[in-house]
């Protein structure tokens, strides 16, 4: 059902409870630094706004781990805002403000501050032109000079082949008398029947058949918001740059710095073509054609201030990084890029990892400890380690101590919810200012382990599982035998203590 207040956006099914790490102030500043641009300092008191926050998980977690920043977030769906406020109350987040306002209402409000950072993830391509205009007005009125904007969006040309598939799915789901989940299932079956009947659209676009298969395997809540809204507008990068220029925004970099390392993404012939294009946004657009890009995450700024090399080097030299996975778990380092699977140079990456395993270090510290490596090599290694989720920018451990009570309250609220829901799969770190992924069962085991007086955490969690009639699934089969379930639970608890616990302690989550 499309409610009148929803303006064509799906409201019958609530959005998923996702956390989006790219929205963390620390990672936004890191992406700007990697592009040699200044940005708001995440260590200072800032104002931050997320437009279209969904369930508010990202904003709540970031508010808990960055108590010196004032967070604001809006969503048109009152159920989303009610849930976000409830979590904020449970977590004691006093620096977050959730607003039940449309984008047009946000643009016209006079009771909001100016913002250092404005972010919108998975919004711009899925709303009406009027709502996009309202967002541009909001940014023009509320973003500070020097402020940063993160925006993600579906991209052309990569989406061109799939727009007809989306149209087919939407047209197959027009019977509003049925629940949306039922209509989604029926729509998928109708599209699959068309594909099996050798419709030429699928024959000439083999990627569409693969996309249809992928869609059918995804959560219905995600599918509803991704494919079944009334609006869908993929953008060429250059068109988005032109549209946002009305708010005096300038594109500075992809929000994922790995995408800006051309040598990891393009062949020699492709690099030669790109080298002949001087205009930056046009060059980015050409990259999208080479890669057939389907989705972009971009950073814009109101008043760009590029960093000179000495300024950039000085910022790198004082930025701290910490390892966020056990060093022993990494093995041979490989990354997947458009060029395929690449093996990272052991003589560069292993020394950096070994040093970071001892505790937080700056790029300057690493260079001093590893004189055989060029400073540029260390910086690029850090970009790739952060991109892979193996490392993260951080603050000093003694500074994190003041933030720890805030993240502790948030994490306790999340782990309490894990007893009846697996919706929130992240805990907050005061050291990195962002979240660490942790599934529901591990959260329950961690909570039992931390609880005073719990003699056997495994027995405690197993008792709860029995009361809820929960069982593990292995190789697609539910484990019905109690001992099999206990063995699986014990295995997960041992893994928590052996692998996860050292990382949790290092990140000051426990």
């Amino acid at each position: 059902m499309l409610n009148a207040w929803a303006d064509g956006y799906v409201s019958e099914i609530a959005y998923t409870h996702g956390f989006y790490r790219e929205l963390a102030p620390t990672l936004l500043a890191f992406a700007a630094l990697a592009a040699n641009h200044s940005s708001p300092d995440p260590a200072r008191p800032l104002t931050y706004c997320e437009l279209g926050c969904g369930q508010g998980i990202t904003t709540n977690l970031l508010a808990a781990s960055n108590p010196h920043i004032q967070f604001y977030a809006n969503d048109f769906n009152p159920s989303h805002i009610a849930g976000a406020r409830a979590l904020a109350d449970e977590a004691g987040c006093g620096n977050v403000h959730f607003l039940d306002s449309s984008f047009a209402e946000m643009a016209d409000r006079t009771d909001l501050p100016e913002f250092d950072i404005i972010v919108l993830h998975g919004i711009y391509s899925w709303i009406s032109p009027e709502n996009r205009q309202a967002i541009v007005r909001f940014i023009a009125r509320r973003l500070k000079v020097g402020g940063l904007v993160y925006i993600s969006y579906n991209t052309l040309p990569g989406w061109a082949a799939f727009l007809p598939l989306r149209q087919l799915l939407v047209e197959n789901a027009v019977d509003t008398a049925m629940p949306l989940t039922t209509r989604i299932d029926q729509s998928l079956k109708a599209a699959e029947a068309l594909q099996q009947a050798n419709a030429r659209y699928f024959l000439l676009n083999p990627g569409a058949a693969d996309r249809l298969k992928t869609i059918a395997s995804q959560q219905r809540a995600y599918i509803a918001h991704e494919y079944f809204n009334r609006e869908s507008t993929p953008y060429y990068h250059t068109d988005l740059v032109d549209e946002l220029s009305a708010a005096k925004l300038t594109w500075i970099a992809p929000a994922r710095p790995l995408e800006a390392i051309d040598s990891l993404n393009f062949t020699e012939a492709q690099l030669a073509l790109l080298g002949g294009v001087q205009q930056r946004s046009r060059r980015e657009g050409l990259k999208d054609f080479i890669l057939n890009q389907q989705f972009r995450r971009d950073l814009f700024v109101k008043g760009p201030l590029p960093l000179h090399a000495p300024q950039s080097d000085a910022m790198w030299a004082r930025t701290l990084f910490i390892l966020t996975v056990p060093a022993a778990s990494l093995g041979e380092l490989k990354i997947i890029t458009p060029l395929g699977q690449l093996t990272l140079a052991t003589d560069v990456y292993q020394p950096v990892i070994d040093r970071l395993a001892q505790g937080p270090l700056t790029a300057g510290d690493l260079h001093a400890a590893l004189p055989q490596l060029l400073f540029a090599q260390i910086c690029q290694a850090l970009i790739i380690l952060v991109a892979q989720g193996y490392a993260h920018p951080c603050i000093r451990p003694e500074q994190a101590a003041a933030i720890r009570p805030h993240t502790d309250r948030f994490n306790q609220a999340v782990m309490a919810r894990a007893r009846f829901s697996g919706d929130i799969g992240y805990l907050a770190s005061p050291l990195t200012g962002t979240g660490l992924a942790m599934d529901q069962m591990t959260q329950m085991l961690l909570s039992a382990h931390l609880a005073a007086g719990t003699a056997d955490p495994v027995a405690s969690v197993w008792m709860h599982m029995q009361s809820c009639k929960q069982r593990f699934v292995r190789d697609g089969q539910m484990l019905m035998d109690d001992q099999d379930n206990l063995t699986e639970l014990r295995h997960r608890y041992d893994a928590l203590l052996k692998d996860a616990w050292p990382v949790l302690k290092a990140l000051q989550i426990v």
Side-chain angles (χ1 to χ4, degrees):
M1 179 185 299
L2 295 177
N3 292 310
W5 48 263
D7 197 20
Y9 196 88
V10 167
S11 61
E12 183 178 337
I13 298 177
Y15 195 56
T16 55
H17 293 69
F19 172 74
Y20 306 102
R21 68 190 292 263
E22 293 93 347
L23 306 191
T26 48
L27 282 182
L28 293 172
F30 177 67
L33 173 60
N36 296 317
H37 271 270
S38 61
S39 66
D41 182 354
R44 300 180 61 186
L46 301 175
T47 48
Y48 177 114
C49 181
E50 182 179 5
L51 295 174
C53 67
Q55 301 283 358
I57 304 303
T58 299
T59 307
N60 266 315
L61 190 152
L62 294 178
S65 53
N66 298 272
H68 58 289
I69 297 177
Q70 288 294 315
F71 287 84
Y72 291 75
N74 86 298
D75 200 274
F76 77 102
N77 191 324
S79 294
H80 290 168
I81 293 300
R85 287 176 177 170
L87 178 58
D89 288 343
E90 293 168 27
C93 294
N95 60 319
V96 63
H97 314 273
F98 288 103
L99 308 172
D100 176 20
S101 299
S102 68
F103 297 127
E105 290 167 341
M106 290 289 287
D108 293 336
R109 289 184 72 137
T110 59
D111 59 342
L112 298 175
E114 289 190 322
F115 294 103
D116 297 283
I117 298 171
I118 296 175
V119 302
L120 48 156
H121 178 77
I123 296 296
Y124 210 73
S125 286
W126 294 264
I127 55 176
S128 67
E130 294 77 16
N131 276 308
R132 292 197 295 272
Q133 291 168 12
I135 286 175
V136 174
R137 288 201 314 275
F138 176 82
I139 293 172
R141 294 174 181 178
R142 290 295 168 192
L143 184 67
K144 292 179 182 179
V145 172
L148 201 65
V149 171
Y150 164 99
I151 181 169
S152 63
Y153 55 102
N154 282 343
T155 308
L156 292 168
W159 251 87
F162 304 122
L163 284 173
L165 175 60
R166 178 199 170 272
Q167 185 68 18
L168 177 65
L169 293 174
V170 171
E171 289 182 352
N172 284 339
V174 293
D175 185 358
T176 57
M178 294 185 293
L180 181 54
T181 51
T182 302
R183 285 184 279 141
I184 289 173
D185 289 338
Q186 291 187 354
S187 178
L188 290 169
K189 289 179 181 177
E192 288 166 354
L194 194 64
Q195 185 247 327
Q196 291 166 6
N198 291 324
R200 287 180 64 81
Y201 165 70
F202 287 101
L203 293 176
L204 297 175
N205 295 278
D210 294 336
R211 174 63 67 90
L212 179 59
K213 184 177 180 180
T214 298
I215 294 171
S217 68
Q218 292 171 321
Q219 293 182 25
R220 294 304 181 255
Y222 172 78
I223 294 171
H225 291 262
E226 177 69 21
Y227 295 98
F228 286 85
N229 294 307
R230 187 174 66 201
E231 304 287 344
S232 179
T233 309
Y235 271 83
Y236 292 105
H237 172 72
T238 49
D239 287 345
L240 184 70
V241 168
D242 289 344
E243 189 161 302
L244 295 183
S245 67
K248 298 184 180 180
L249 294 184
T250 300
W251 178 83
I252 60 169
R256 291 184 168 181
L258 186 64
E259 296 173 7
I261 302 177
D262 289 347
S263 61
L264 298 180
N265 293 286
F266 302 100
T267 66
E268 290 296 328
Q270 292 164 351
L271 289 171
L273 285 173
L274 292 170
V277 180
Q278 299 303 314
Q279 210 276 334
R280 293 179 72 241
S281 64
R282 184 166 168 264
R283 192 168 185 266
E284 283 299 302
L286 184 57
K287 289 182 180 181
D288 289 345
F289 273 87
I290 293 174
L291 300 175
N292 196 33
Q293 194 72 268
Q294 297 180 29
F295 189 73
R296 286 187 65 104
R297 302 166 179 85
D298 279 331
L299 290 184
F300 292 79
V301 69
K302 186 176 184 178
L305 283 177
L307 298 171
H308 298 292
Q311 293 175 301
S312 178
D313 288 349
M315 289 186 67
W316 274 103
R318 63 175 179 263
T319 300
L320 275 169
F321 296 86
I322 188 170
L323 211 61
T324 55
V325 296
S329 70
L330 293 179
E332 186 179 29
L333 288 175
K334 297 178 183 294
I335 60 172
I336 302 297
T337 77
L339 298 179
Q341 181 173 272
L342 304 180
T343 301
L344 302 177
T346 303
D347 59 339
V348 174
Y349 286 84
Q350 198 59 55
V352 171
I353 290 169
D354 291 342
R355 290 287 176 173
L356 288 176
Q358 299 171 23
L361 293 172
T362 66
D365 295 332
L366 288 166
H367 190 223
L370 303 169
Q372 74 274 23
L373 300 181
L374 299 174
F375 189 67
Q377 286 180 299
I378 290 173
C379 293
Q380 180 164 310
L382 290 168
I383 288 174
I384 292 174
L385 291 174
V386 171
Q388 296 298 108
Y390 301 152
H392 201 286
C394 68
I395 60 176
R396 297 196 177 279
E398 59 270 21
Q399 294 173 306
I403 301 174
R404 178 73 181 269
H406 300 272
T407 54
D408 281 352
R409 286 195 296 269
F410 177 86
N411 293 337
Q412 287 161 9
V414 171
M415 289 189 290
R417 288 187 173 208
R419 292 180 62 82
F420 57 85
S421 170
D423 285 340
I424 306 178
Y426 288 82
L427 299 181
S429 164
L431 199 67
T432 61
T434 186
L436 182 74
M438 180 173 289
D439 63 51
Q440 178 187 12
M441 190 56 59
T442 307
Q443 287 183 34
M444 291 174 63
L445 288 165
L446 176 61
S447 179
H449 181 82
L450 295 173
T454 301
D456 184 356
V458 172
S460 173
V461 173
W462 173 237
M463 186 180 300
H464 178 73
M465 288 179 63
Q466 286 180 304
S467 69
C468 298
K469 296 182 170 53
Q470 291 179 308
R471 292 290 188 273
F472 286 108
V473 174
R474 184 190 298 157
D475 300 328
Q477 299 293 320
M478 182 175 289
L479 301 181
M480 301 307 298
D481 182 75
D482 287 358
Q483 190 56 50
D484 287 343
N485 280 275
L486 272 169
T487 299
E488 178 67 21
L489 194 58
R490 177 67 63 184
H491 172 75
R492 296 192 183 204
Y493 180 63
D494 291 343
L496 165 65
L497 297 184
K498 179 177 180 293
D499 300 324
W501 187 260
V503 173
L504 293 170
K505 283 195 67 73
L507 298 181
Q508 295 197 21
I509 294 175
V510 297

